[in-house]
Amino acid sequence: MTVAMTPVFYPPFKPCPCKSGRSHQGCCQPLLEGTRTAITAQELMRSRYTAYVLKNEAYLLRTWHENTRPESLDLALDSTQWESLTLHGSTSGGPTDTEGTVEFTARYKAQGQRHQMRENSRFVRTEGQWQYLDGSVTGT
């Protein structure tokens, strides 16, 4: 049985890890805390990246579509250091859409080596809330 870890604390007035240019408090923090939901697929994608940076397993599982969601995550053992996020574009995924995609590159360090992952993620709106469905990785 895997016990969910407590997310890493991140100061609310620092720039958000998703690289939006806004403070964490004015960007992803309210989504991760559950005080509001993502309005667009892109906003959900940014907040999920931030959740990986902060090792917020509960948020990642909560925003993952039930058909593709793993039973658990174990980010406590994951030593990946997420360094930056670049968005390349999106299709649909707006406030009135029911599905959308977001393409991005995430750069990270693992075992002392720098890597990058480019993914085209698919999102669906379920009961009024955006959820991550799946993604295809086009480079690592």
Side-chain angles (χ1 to χ4, degrees), residues 68-82:
T68 56
R69 177 178 51 228
E71 283 190 36
S72 64
L73 296 171
D74 198 356
L75 298 181
L77 301 177
D78 184 1
S79 63
T80 301
Q81 295 174 319
W82 296 97

Side-chain angles (χ1 to χ4, degrees), residues 17 33 50 56 77 88 91 102 104 119 129:
E33 291 177 345
T50 297
N56 189 330
L77 301 177
H88 301 293
T91 59
V102 179
F104 66 91
E119 180 174 321
Q129 297 195 17

Side-chain angles (χ1 to χ4, degrees), residues 30-61:
L31 281 77
L32 273 65
E33 291 177 345
T35 58
R36 76 173 189 84
T37 60
I39 297 169
T40 66
Q42 189 176 107
E43 187 175 40
L44 181 64
M45 193 250 106
R46 284 182 173 280
S47 68
R48 286 178 54 82
Y49 170 83
T50 297
Y52 274 105
V53 170
L54 302 181
K55 299 186 182 297
N56 189 330
E57 296 171 0
Y59 181 77
L60 290 165
L61 292 171

Side-chain angles (χ1 to χ4, degrees), residues 2-20:
T2 302
V3 177
M5 66 177 289
T6 302
V8 173
F9 171 76
Y10 192 82
F13 297 106
K14 280 186 75 175
C16 194
C18 79
K19 308 296 184 200
S20 67

Side-chain angles (χ1 to χ4, degrees), residues 64-71 122 131-135:
W64 208 315
H65 192 274
E66 66 181 10
N67 291 346
T68 56
R69 177 178 51 228
E71 283 190 36
R122 293 191 312 153
Q131 293 186 307
Y132 170 76
L133 183 60
D134 59 20

